[in-house]
Structures are given as structure tokens and as C-alpha cells.
Amino acid sequence: MKSLKARLLRMGFNIFPPYVGTGASVQYIASDFHEVRIKLPLSWRTRNVVGTTFGGSMYAAIDPVYMMMLVNILGPDYVVWDKAACIQFKKPGKGTLYARFLIDQSEVDAIKAELDRVPKLDRVYHVDFVDHDGAVHATVEKTIYIRRKAAILEEKAA
């Protein structure tokens, strides 16, 4: 059963003007925020000059997702920011594209364990845009900066 928070966040994404402008829609957010699925149809809003999916729409559609997932998974004791991104186009998007984001519990445990040893870290995540048949049209790499809020307070006090 989906949590109210996940449902409200999905609805919020889908009415938030900057996200609506990407042409994408969030189709699913797991109640624990460990999975998100988005859909990016080819339309007048997402089509480029040669009639395929505009790369800017692809990137904008995935831009906030990993950060949002980690903010909700890790909770208020952590600072999470997007730090860098890279997109590699594999083949033109000539129809609806889909992206599925996953963060498993072992990744969350690894983040927390590493932050017990170091004050901050960067994590790199990958997501593919695929068509209905599973063919990859683009791969996006996102670098996410994470640190404990307590570490920030300790630095300020020192």
C-alpha cells in the first residue's frame, strides 16, 4: 500500500510547473521511496527539431529524482544535494520513454556506515531511458552529495 506522503509527492511532481514543463510524469513512488518510475512521452512539448525526444526534456525529467528519493529515505538528519550529471544519448527517442530509479537498502546502509567514518560523501547513480521494448535510448549519471547535519554543526562550532 502506498503511503500518503508518496502519493502526495507524486501528485506534487505532476502539478509542479517546472516538472510539468519537462513533459514527463511521475508514474509511481514506492511508499518507502526506494523506487520511482517516470514516463516521458514524445509530444509537441518534448520533440526536438528533428522529431525525436529533446535531450533537455530527458535530463530535466530525471534531474530531481535521486535527490528526492534520498532526502525521503535518509530523513531530516542528512543534507542531500545534486552535485553533477552527465547524459549519454544512445539512440533517438521516437516514442514514449521510461526511467526506473532504484535505491536498495544495502545502498542506504552503506551511505550511513560511510558517513560514520567521513563527514561527507558523493554517490554516483545511473538511470536509463528505455522504450516499451527495453531498448536504451539514453543513460544518465547523477552525482549526489550527502552529509550528516550534525557534521555541519560540529564544523561551525569548531
Side-chain angles (χ1 to χ4, degrees), residues 4 45 55 69 101:
L4 179 60
R45 290 185 353 199
M69 291 171 77
F101 304 79

Side-chain angles (χ1 to χ4, degrees), residues 70 103-112 123-125 146:
L70 286 165
I103 298 175
D104 62 28
Q105 190 57 46
S106 64
E107 169 65 2
V108 175
D109 295 343
I111 290 168
K112 290 179 177 181
R123 297 301 266 200
V124 177
Y125 298 98
I146 308 165

Side-chain angles (χ1 to χ4, degrees), residues 9-81:
L9 187 59
R10 183 181 61 80
M11 290 186 322
F13 260 101
N14 291 331
I15 64 171
F16 184 54
Y19 197 77
V20 171
T22 70
S25 63
V26 175
Q27 300 292 296
Y28 173 77
I29 299 177
S31 59
D32 63 1
F33 297 95
H34 286 261
E35 180 182 1
V36 173
R37 293 188 300 251
I38 65 169
K39 177 180 173 180
L40 181 63
L42 181 62
S43 70
W44 67 270
R45 290 185 353 199
T46 62
R47 185 169 290 142
N48 63 20
V49 70
V50 294
T52 61
T53 306
F54 175 56
S57 291
M58 286 185 204
Y59 177 72
I62 66 92
D63 179 41
V65 178
Y66 276 119
M67 185 177 112
M68 176 277 303
M69 291 171 77
L70 286 165
V71 163
N72 282 284
I73 292 168
L74 294 171
D77 294 335
Y78 295 83
V79 173
V80 180
W81 287 100

